[in-house]
Amino acid sequence: MHCGDERFGRLVANFRTVFPNYEVTTLDVTGSDYLQALSDDDVDVLLGRFGDGLPGDVVQGPVMSREHWVLGVARTHPLAEHDVVSVEELATHAIFGVPDPLTGRLHNPLYPETTPSGLPIPRRGVARTFAEVLRLVAQQDNVFPTVASFPTYYGHPDVVFVPMRGWPPAARTLIWRAHGNNPGVRAFIGLATDPRSKASRT
């Protein structure tokens, strides 16, 4: 959920031009508690790749970008030597998880539970920030499916990224609270969803 999205950048710049009386600040919100940040009013609009099952008090807005996938692996990992890897490899190489607050079971809502052929994708290791994810990958505790632009903004000296095939391009969208938004946030949402706005179109 990094801020390096070109279309989102145009949207922010356009908003600052059209609504100069409002201040916009962009932050990196990493980890598993991004919806809590939205609920707590720590942020007003989130840009990211969100799984299915968003709560009813959250609205999913327009797609800001679509990207191909890469797989982060340790430099010493066998898959690091491949030119391309299949998403089916995830059945035998675990990805990081987040503990369910009720059951403690590791899950990860950003990824499917199974590969396209139906094989379970195991979860192992807990990570709440990108730095923690990359450390787990460097230790060969797991692998990390992410979008192709991720290595431009984040990295680890012992992690490499290999193109991955088998999933549709990853869509990055906007989400916001369904209710209780202030006038500035409503203005931003209006601009983001206005089909006449250049920033609202790919």
Side-chain angles (χ1 to χ4, degrees):
M1 283 169 273
H2 55 75
C3 298
D5 184 279
E6 181 180 347
R7 184 178 170 194
F8 180 72
R10 292 201 307 269
L11 174 61
V12 171
N14 195 22
F15 179 80
R16 286 171 171 157
T17 299
V18 177
F19 299 99
N21 292 330
Y22 290 118
E23 182 178 349
V24 181
T25 301
T26 58
L27 304 169
D28 263 4
V29 180
T30 61
S32 59
D33 57 353
Y34 51 87
L35 290 177
Q36 191 63 46
L38 192 65
S39 176
D40 292 345
D41 292 346
D42 293 335
V43 296
D44 295 307
V45 179
L46 278 171
L47 168 69
R49 181 173 51 80
F50 306 103
D52 297 330
L54 287 171
D57 59 350
V58 171
V59 177
Q60 189 157 32
V63 173
M64 291 282 106
S65 64
R66 298 184 193 276
E67 290 192 65
H68 293 299
W69 291 88
V70 295
L71 187 66
V73 298
R75 288 188 182 276
T76 53
H77 195 285
L79 293 179
E81 301 298 322
H82 291 222
D83 294 327
V84 179
V85 297
S86 167
V87 70
E88 296 296 329
E89 294 283 358
L90 297 181
T92 53
H93 301 285
I95 64 175
F96 75 96
V98 179
D100 184 282
L102 297 179
T103 66
R105 175 179 173 268
L106 289 183
H107 70 112
N108 194 320
L110 297 180
Y111 304 100
E113 290 289 329
T114 65
T115 68
S117 71
L119 297 173
I121 300 174
R123 271 62 167 164
R124 182 178 65 236
V126 176
R128 302 178 190 277
T129 67
F130 290 145
E132 292 175 355
V133 173
L134 292 173
R135 185 174 67 249
L136 289 173
V137 173
Q139 296 168 177
Q140 291 204 33
D141 288 340
N142 60 31
V143 296
F144 177 39
T146 187
V147 294
S149 66
F150 180 90
T152 303
Y153 301 94
Y154 305 95
H156 187 289
D158 296 322
V159 175
V160 297
F161 294 87
V162 183
M164 186 175 74
R165 301 290 181 261
W167 276 340
R172 197 151 50 234
T173 63
L174 296 177
I175 62 172
W176 54 80
R177 292 180 295 274
H179 307 288
N181 292 307
N182 63 44
V185 177
R186 293 197 296 271
F188 187 89
I189 293 168
L191 192 63
T193 55
D194 185 350
R196 298 169 299 176
S197 170
K198 291 182 179 181
S200 73
R201 299 193 296 268
T202 302

